[in-house]
Amino acid sequence: MMLRHVSFTLLLFLGLWWVLTEGRWSSYTVGIPAAVACTWIAMRLGAGLETNKASALQPLQVPLFFFHFVGKSLIAGFDVARRTLQPSMPLQPGFVSYPLQLQSEPAKLFFAAVISLMPGTLCSQRRDDSVILHVLDTRMNLAADLLATERQIARLFGETPPKSAPTLLKGS
Amino acid sequence: MIEWMQILLISFGVFFYLIGTLGILRFPDVFTRLHALTKADNLGLGLVMLGVLPSLPSIPAALKVVLCWLLILASSAVATYLIAKRAAEDQAS
């Protein structure tokens, strides 16, 4: 398991080197030692984060998450465009508190980062098991959207996806 | 055919950049401006990236551009959070 993890990370860094040097083979005299060093550092740093063994990144879920993300980004962009261009500028900004059902710290952190790129929401503060979101329009039905994203992230980190949306608390 | 697609994608990308800038000018406060900036610019950058991809000489060169997009997404999410957090704290005190 550990060996698999190390070799996967090493492959990732070698791939990164390949991308950065645009496939120049002669550069690998520097590239291979660099990739090995990066893997070692990644292992050292990663050890501190791994508080919960049950939650590890699921490579097969990455494309699924990516499609979810791209779809939502499109909606987010068009939503902002519509609000910006309308002369009346339909905004009803406010703060809501969203209780997190994700378990591990990396998953929560990832959710907080991703949610700022999703339609109508922006993470403004983090608590232990909730996030304070700034929303562009408090009339939007955000709970369903947020739950869909949270479920995707749960699958991405190998956690059981939450079933029902929590209630959003208005105000900060 | 591909060239027309590229022109279309880049034009849409530029349009969203314009929206982001217009949003900063029109929206009333820090938070709403951050919304305009993150959402519109990220989509704009994504579209410009897609438009540029077919013109790149090799697969690693294309992947490098995709990597740039992902890194900019990450930095934009983090920077947004830091600005919003500071603004919320200032507002509370």
Side-chain angles (χ1 to χ4, degrees):
Chain A
M1 190 60 210
M2 188 64 194
L3 188 71
R4 223 181 87 191
H5 190 45
V6 172
S7 31
F8 182 74
T9 312
L10 183 63
L11 262 176
L12 216 65
F13 281 121
L14 284 172
L16 185 62
W17 186 266
W18 176 65
V19 168
L20 289 178
T21 57
E22 298 185 11
R24 280 180 211 98
W25 291 107
S26 59
S27 72
Y28 274 83
T29 44
V30 181
I32 290 172
V36 171
C38 287
T39 308
W40 182 72
I41 294 168
M43 290 296 127
R44 287 290 300 266
L45 293 174
L49 273 177
E50 216 160 322
T51 46
N52 186 355
K53 280 269 183 270
S55 94
L57 198 67
Q58 309 289 307
L60 292 177
Q61 291 287 337
V62 172
L64 287 174
F65 174 78
F66 185 74
F67 285 124
H68 175 83
F69 179 78
V70 168
K72 291 279 179 197
S73 298
L74 271 169
I75 297 173
F78 278 103
D79 178 60
V80 160
R82 184 176 62 82
R83 290 173 202 278
T84 315
L85 291 176
Q86 273 181 34
S88 62
M89 217 166 50
L91 297 175
Q92 205 177 89
F95 288 95
V96 295
S97 168
Y98 182 78
L100 289 171
Q101 297 178 75
L102 293 164
Q103 302 295 318
S104 69
E105 180 54 26
K108 288 179 195 170
L109 188 68
F110 191 66
F111 180 81
V114 160
I115 213 65
S116 295
L117 305 172
M118 298 270 159
T121 53
L122 190 90
C123 176
S124 78
Q125 268 164 312
R126 287 187 67 214
R127 307 262 185 269
D128 283 338
D129 42 16
S130 67
V131 284
I132 314 283
L133 303 173
H134 182 267
V135 298
L136 262 189
D137 193 335
T138 44
R139 291 161 298 190
M140 278 168 93
N141 180 25
L142 291 164
D145 263 11
L146 288 166
L147 181 73
T149 300
E150 203 181 3
R151 284 173 62 86
Q152 281 289 344
I153 291 177
R155 288 195 206 97
L156 186 65
F157 284 86
E159 295 181 13
T160 31
K163 287 221 163 48
S164 57
T167 37
L168 295 176
L169 301 169
K170 292 266 164 77
S172 56
Chain B
M1 182 60 196
I2 286 181
E3 266 158 41
W4 281 106
M5 282 294 285
Q6 284 179 281
I7 290 169
L8 202 69
L9 283 168
I10 294 172
S11 305
F12 265 109
V14 170
F15 168 75
F16 277 106
Y17 266 112
L18 220 78
I19 293 290
T21 310
L22 199 63
I24 297 181
L25 295 172
R26 288 201 76 197
F27 283 1
D29 64 0
V30 182
F31 301 105
T32 45
R33 284 175 178 157
L34 281 173
H35 278 280
L37 197 63
T38 48
K39 274 89 181 172
D41 280 17
N42 288 337
L43 186 56
L45 182 64
L47 291 170
V48 169
M49 177 202 72
L50 276 179
V52 167
L53 280 186
S55 302
L56 294 169
S58 66
I59 291 173
L63 286 174
K64 202 193 235 174
V65 173
V66 176
L67 189 69
C68 285
W69 177 56
L70 291 175
L71 287 174
I72 291 171
L73 283 187
S75 73
S76 146
V78 173
T80 301
Y81 168 66
L82 290 175
I83 295 171
K85 187 184 171 202
R86 183 59 197 267
E89 282 167 2
D90 281 357
Q91 213 173 47
S93 61

